[in-house]
Amino acid sequence: MPQKDSCLDDILETSEKLENMSQTKDIETIKLSDIIEKMIEITSIARIEKIFEEKIVSGNPVVNVVVNDGSARGLLSLWSEQIDLLNDLNEGDAILIENAHAPKKYKDRIHLALSKSGKISKIESDLPVIDELLKKSSAKRNDFSRKLISELKEGMGAELRGLIVAIHSKEPYFPVCDKCNKKMVLKKGYAVCKCGNKVDEEDENLKWLFLSTCTLDDGSDTVRTTLNDSTEYLDFNELKRMIIDDENILDVLNEKMLGLDILASGFTIYDEYLKDTAFRCNSWNKINVMDEFNNKLKG
């Protein structure tokens, strides 16, 4: 008997899936790439790429969800009781978004919100699985051709040339815990982590990370850019020595980096804090004027 029940359950589940797919085929939907700012009564099918943690904005809880249908990516904001619609939904699931509107568009990513009667529901879809959608996005990132900042779109790989016009990071170089991979604090000769890990600050195995958020300007526009330690321009051993000796490295970085003409290779992301596109570097360096000159001659 249990075996028969199991077979019956499978048949019913398959029947429900087929009925679900049949019903959604009759629904008029719009691709994310075709949605324009201020559009209303939006119905779309997409997969959940990422579900962010709940935040409090203006006293109200909100959960942001990145959705992807292969044509574009969107940021769906669910407020207050709408958050319950995420129950039983997971990253990778295909969802039907009904009765949404598009209050804003951040470059190539549309921002969606549900109306009072709006809803999202899990469905069966012939959309590629989320890994394939992400691979397509990754392929776009890996095209590191030279672009202007004004041309940047989310998920795009690019090579940028511009001037560093501002440095925003107060602690750009710091030790990282090998247990939980979080930022450590230097205290009395040791790097200490909240997880309880404690390492001698002079330990050769202690990992240090350089992440400096700057504003890059190329004349066409500006963009917040996170520079990493993949560069030959800075002497990180010297920076580490200065930090251990409790010297201020910001003065050194301001002197060496402000106004610097750099070439940066990386990709664009959507920054939740800035609510705008930002640029993450894979590598960067001071511009080589002769290389630029020779490249222009070849072009």
Side-chain angles (χ1 to χ4, degrees):
M1 285 297 291
Q3 194 170 15
K4 288 184 179 180
D5 289 343
S6 177
C7 291
L8 181 60
D9 288 343
D10 290 342
I11 293 171
L12 290 173
E13 184 178 353
T14 302
S15 177
E16 287 176 1
K17 287 181 179 179
L18 291 172
E19 183 179 357
N20 187 306
M21 293 182 71
S22 176
Q23 290 176 347
T24 55
K25 284 182 179 178
D26 296 331
I27 297 174
E28 186 174 348
T29 60
I30 184 172
K31 292 181 179 179
L32 296 179
S33 59
D34 293 334
I35 297 173
I36 59 175
E37 193 170 289
K38 306 299 182 184
M39 187 178 282
I40 61 173
E41 298 181 352
I42 297 167
T43 300
S44 290
I45 293 175
R47 288 197 183 275
I48 296 175
E49 181 177 316
K50 184 174 179 60
I51 301 174
F52 290 97
E53 293 184 2
E54 182 178 314
K55 293 183 178 180
I56 302 298
V57 178
S58 301
N60 297 305
V62 61
V63 171
N64 287 317
V65 181
V66 178
V67 292
N68 190 332
D69 71 351
S71 72
R73 302 164 75 213
L75 183 72
L76 174 64
S77 295
L78 301 175
W79 294 84
S80 303
E81 66 274 4
Q82 293 176 348
I83 296 173
D84 293 337
L85 296 172
L86 288 171
N87 291 343
D88 302 322
L89 289 179
N90 299 295
E91 293 176 358
D93 287 343
I95 58 171
L96 176 66
I97 305 168
E98 299 179 87
N99 206 359
H101 59 280
K104 292 182 180 179
K105 188 168 186 177
Y106 300 109
K107 297 195 176 178
D108 74 328
R109 182 157 76 170
I110 196 70
H111 181 195
L112 299 173
L114 295 181
S115 65
K116 289 185 178 180
S117 60
K119 61 180 181 178
I120 58 173
S121 51
K122 183 177 179 179
I123 61 168
E124 293 297 319
S125 172
D126 55 5
L127 279 175
V129 295
I130 195 62
D131 285 346
E132 291 184 23
L133 295 177
L134 291 173
K135 283 179 182 177
K136 291 181 180 180
S137 298
S138 179
K140 291 180 182 177
R141 289 181 177 182
N142 292 331
D143 175 22
F144 298 117
S145 57
R146 183 73 64 90
K147 294 180 178 67
L148 295 174
I149 292 174
S150 59
E151 298 174 326
L152 291 181
K153 294 181 179 180
E154 184 186 346
M156 175 187 288
E159 182 183 71
L160 303 179
R161 178 184 178 179
L163 299 178
I164 298 174
V165 295
I167 300 175
H168 308 287
S169 302
K170 294 182 178 179
E171 296 182 26
Y173 198 41
F174 50 87
V176 178
C177 180
D178 61 355
K179 303 294 184 184
C180 65
N181 207 35
K182 292 186 177 180
K183 181 178 178 180
M184 303 179 81
V185 178
L186 295 179
K187 291 184 178 179
K188 297 181 179 179
Y190 291 91
V192 181
C193 182
K194 288 183 179 180
C195 74
N197 191 24
K198 184 178 179 182
V199 184
D200 190 297
E201 64 184 10
E202 301 279 5
D203 192 320
E204 293 182 357
N205 296 318
L206 181 61
K207 179 183 176 183
W208 287 70
L209 187 63
F210 181 80
L211 290 175
S212 179
T213 303
C214 307
T215 295
L216 198 65
D217 188 335
D218 70 352
S220 74
D221 204 346
T222 62
V223 67
R224 283 286 185 106
T225 306
T226 302
L227 303 180
N228 60 10
D229 54 10
S230 183
T231 181
E232 298 173 356
Y233 181 68
L234 296 175
D235 185 342
F236 292 105
N237 286 328
E238 177 62 14
L239 291 181
K240 176 181 174 180
R241 183 201 63 75
M242 291 179 65
I243 292 172
I244 290 176
D245 291 345
D246 202 24
E247 296 179 26
N248 188 352
I249 69 167
L250 292 182
D251 291 339
V252 173
L253 293 178
N254 282 329
E255 183 179 346
K256 289 183 68 67
M257 294 174 62
L258 275 180
L260 186 68
D261 190 358
I262 69 168
L263 195 64
S265 177
F267 58 92
T268 53
I269 62 163
Y270 179 77
D271 190 293
E272 283 290 323
Y273 178 77
L274 296 174
K275 302 297 181 186
D276 201 355
T277 297
F279 191 74
R280 291 283 174 86
C281 284
N282 290 334
S283 62
W284 65 279
N285 245 312
K286 180 181 178 181
I287 200 75
N288 186 312
V289 178
M290 287 306 299
D291 284 347
E292 288 293 298
F293 179 73
N294 290 330
N295 287 336
K296 285 187 177 181
L297 287 179
K298 292 176 183 177

